[in-house]
Amino acid sequence: MKTAIYSTTSEDIGLAAEVIAGGGLVAFPTETVYGLGADAMNPEAVAAVYAAKGRPSDNPMIVHIAEQSDLARLTARITEDMKLLMNAMWPGPLTMVVPKSAQVPDRTTGGLDTVAVRMPDNDVALKLIAMSGCPIAAPSANLSGKPSPTRADDVINDMDGRIEGIIRGEDCQVGIESTVVDMTGDTPVILRPGIITAEQLEEALGKPVEYDKALFGKETDEDFKPKSPGMKYKHYAPEAEMIIVSGSRANVEHEIDRIRELKEAEGLKVGVILFEEDGFEEAAHDLFADLRDMDKAGVDLIVAGALDTDDQRGFAVMNRMIRSAGHNIVKV
Ligand code: AMP
Ligand code: MG
């Protein structure tokens, strides 16, 4: 398949929108990561997304809308809490899991009776959705298992020849995927942490918000039962082996140097990822791009410093980093 590369002019976004409306696949920028979009109401188009990514088909997708009023088509019940969060956070990196309407195909929700919805804070994405005339189902635009793409070139690397088109937009500002919050119970539960924290949701709602217990476990634990099906798959993995070093800053820096010297003496190419101690947003922005750059540079071993998980944004970035490293962590 020849993949068209679109610019962000209205004319080009219009061409991309025609592809989506016709059942084709187009990757597009959002503020979190690039998405691989299809008409969310068209089961064949959604099935093609799974094939293009090489992704298991029980992994539900996030449905992207351009206006709050588009939500009415996707769910039969819009609660006061949902309205509060929409008003406080949309457009933005917050996905709400809500009961699905009969119109939403099972393909889009992986057979669940709930649907995940968000309004992205990116003009190109919003125009594409509006011009397509349909909500757009989109997982991250990477091959299954690889780090999510935060730059157009990363999408081209993974998806060229596999989908109809790619919109070449700017680099994503946030850099990690949206916070996913389950709104189907009395207490909202965060299924996937992101740059929007429980604390911010509590402030908007005036009531407690919890993190899913499974976020504190490992995929290999016997009682690991995430409510977000996507959390159980291998994710975000670079080609290189990766190890995380956790501890006080001085100990971490010392251990990273020690490992680097040791492995370089063995002839390995070593890459280091060490973010500023309180630079959580910068870490979110850079993590996936750094992993991809290190793979491109032919690094054999990536050694990364752990982030402070007492900060909820640090916790969100560590959720990705830990799985990038396949839970390979040393404490110093
Ligand atoms: P991605 O497509 O890579 O952005 O990931 C979407 C995330 O949202 C995955 O972790 C999914 O498991 C989660 N998700 C989507 N729909 C639902 C749903 N109806 N219930 C729970 N989690 C969902
Ligand atoms: Mg993904």
Side-chain angles (χ1 to χ4, degrees), residues 23 25 42-49 107:
L25 308 186
N42 177 338
E44 285 83 44
V46 170
V49 172
R107 270 277 180 197

Side-chain angles (χ1 to χ4, degrees), residues 157-277:
N157 246 314
D158 279 18
M159 288 297 155
D160 194 20
R162 301 177 72 90
I163 59 179
E164 278 78 8
I166 297 170
I167 300 179
R168 178 185 274 291
E170 312 222 308
D171 293 357
C172 303
Q173 303 96 296
V174 175
I176 57 172
E177 305 83 351
S178 57
T179 304
V180 177
V181 62
D182 182 354
M183 299 301 292
T184 59
D186 285 340
T187 300
V189 180
I190 292 181
L191 307 181
R192 177 173 76 184
I195 218 71
I196 292 182
T197 62
E199 202 172 294
Q200 286 171 285
L201 299 184
E202 286 174 342
E203 213 162 284
L205 292 169
K207 70 183 209 185
V209 172
E210 288 171 4
Y211 282 97
D212 184 4
K213 301 279 177 297
L215 292 173
F216 303 94
K218 272 193 203 181
E219 293 90 330
T220 46
D221 291 350
E222 248 175 51
D223 56 353
F224 181 77
K225 289 199 187 71
K227 292 196 199 73
S228 170
M231 304 300 281
K232 59 183 195 229
Y233 297 110
K234 180 170 180 236
H235 246 100
Y236 316 125
E239 308 284 331
E241 192 189 329
M242 182 165 166
I243 182 165
I244 297 173
V245 182
S246 161
S248 73
R249 187 70 174 191
N251 285 353
V252 166
E253 283 177 6
H254 188 263
E255 180 65 6
I256 287 178
D257 283 344
R258 193 189 68 81
I259 295 174
R260 193 214 311 247
E261 276 163 33
L262 186 77
K263 293 298 173 178
E264 283 179 349
E266 289 173 16
L268 294 184
K269 190 162 178 180
V270 179
V272 171
I273 298 181
L274 187 61
F275 298 113
E276 295 290 319
E277 262 179 293

Side-chain angles (χ1 to χ4, degrees), residues 31-331:
E31 82 280 35
T32 58
V33 304
Y34 271 73
L36 174 50
D39 176 354
M41 308 313 250
N42 177 338
E44 285 83 44
V46 170
V49 172
Y50 291 113
K53 278 187 64 105
R55 171 186 214 176
S57 60
D58 69 335
N59 195 351
M61 290 185 199
I62 294 174
V63 178
H64 296 71
I65 59 178
E67 285 176 52
Q68 289 194 8
S69 58
D70 295 340
L71 185 60
R73 206 175 149 194
L74 304 173
T75 184
R77 192 170 61 99
I78 300 177
T79 63
E80 288 308 311
D81 282 352
M82 285 158 62
K83 284 184 199 156
L84 284 172
L85 289 190
M86 275 197 272
N87 289 330
M89 302 296 174
W90 282 1
L94 179 73
T95 298
M96 289 197 274
V97 172
V98 301
K100 90 170 187 71
S101 71
Q103 287 179 66
V104 181
D106 285 339
R107 270 277 180 197
T108 303
T109 65
L112 298 173
D113 54 9
T114 52
V115 60
V117 188
R118 94 173 180 103
M119 188 193 303
D121 186 14
N122 178 293
D123 287 341
V124 175
L126 293 173
K127 263 194 207 166
L128 177 71
I129 300 162
M131 290 170 105
S132 301
C134 57
I136 296 184
S140 48
N142 52 283
L143 290 173
S144 188
K146 294 238 257 164
S148 300
T150 56
R151 303 169 298 195
D153 285 336
D154 299 336
V155 180
I156 293 171
N157 246 314
D158 279 18
M159 288 297 155
D160 194 20
R162 301 177 72 90
I163 59 179
E164 278 78 8
I166 297 170
I167 300 179
R168 178 185 274 291
E170 312 222 308
D171 293 357
C172 303
Q173 303 96 296
V174 175
I176 57 172
E177 305 83 351
S178 57
T179 304
V180 177
V181 62
D182 182 354
M183 299 301 292
T184 59
D186 285 340
T187 300
V189 180
I190 292 181
L191 307 181
R192 177 173 76 184
I195 218 71
I196 292 182
T197 62
E199 202 172 294
Q200 286 171 285
L201 299 184
E202 286 174 342
E203 213 162 284
L205 292 169
K207 70 183 209 185
V209 172
E210 288 171 4
Y211 282 97
D212 184 4
K213 301 279 177 297
L215 292 173
F216 303 94
K218 272 193 203 181
E219 293 90 330
T220 46
D221 291 350
E222 248 175 51
D223 56 353
F224 181 77
K225 289 199 187 71
K227 292 196 199 73
S228 170
M231 304 300 281
K232 59 183 195 229
Y233 297 110
K234 180 170 180 236
H235 246 100
Y236 316 125
E239 308 284 331
E241 192 189 329
M242 182 165 166
I243 182 165
I244 297 173
V245 182
S246 161
S248 73
R249 187 70 174 191
N251 285 353
V252 166
E253 283 177 6
H254 188 263
E255 180 65 6
I256 287 178
D257 283 344
R258 193 189 68 81
I259 295 174
R260 193 214 311 247
E261 276 163 33
L262 186 77
K263 293 298 173 178
E264 283 179 349
E266 289 173 16
L268 294 184
K269 190 162 178 180
V270 179
V272 171
I273 298 181
L274 187 61
F275 298 113
E276 295 290 319
E277 262 179 293
D278 54 2
F280 302 110
E281 264 148 47
E282 197 186 351
H285 179 271
D286 290 352
L287 176 66
F288 290 140
D290 285 353
L291 294 177
R292 283 181 175 261
D293 285 347
M294 286 190 185
D295 276 343
K296 253 184 257 158
V299 164
D300 301 297
L301 175 67
I302 299 170
V303 191
L307 292 166
D308 178 5
T309 53
D310 287 339
D311 183 282
Q312 294 180 21
R313 294 160 306 165
F315 175 66
V317 179
M318 276 303 279
N319 171 272
R320 276 72 177 183
M321 207 194 266
I322 286 171
R323 283 179 300 148
S324 299
H327 293 274
N328 194 7
I329 306 177
V330 292
K331 295 211 161 62

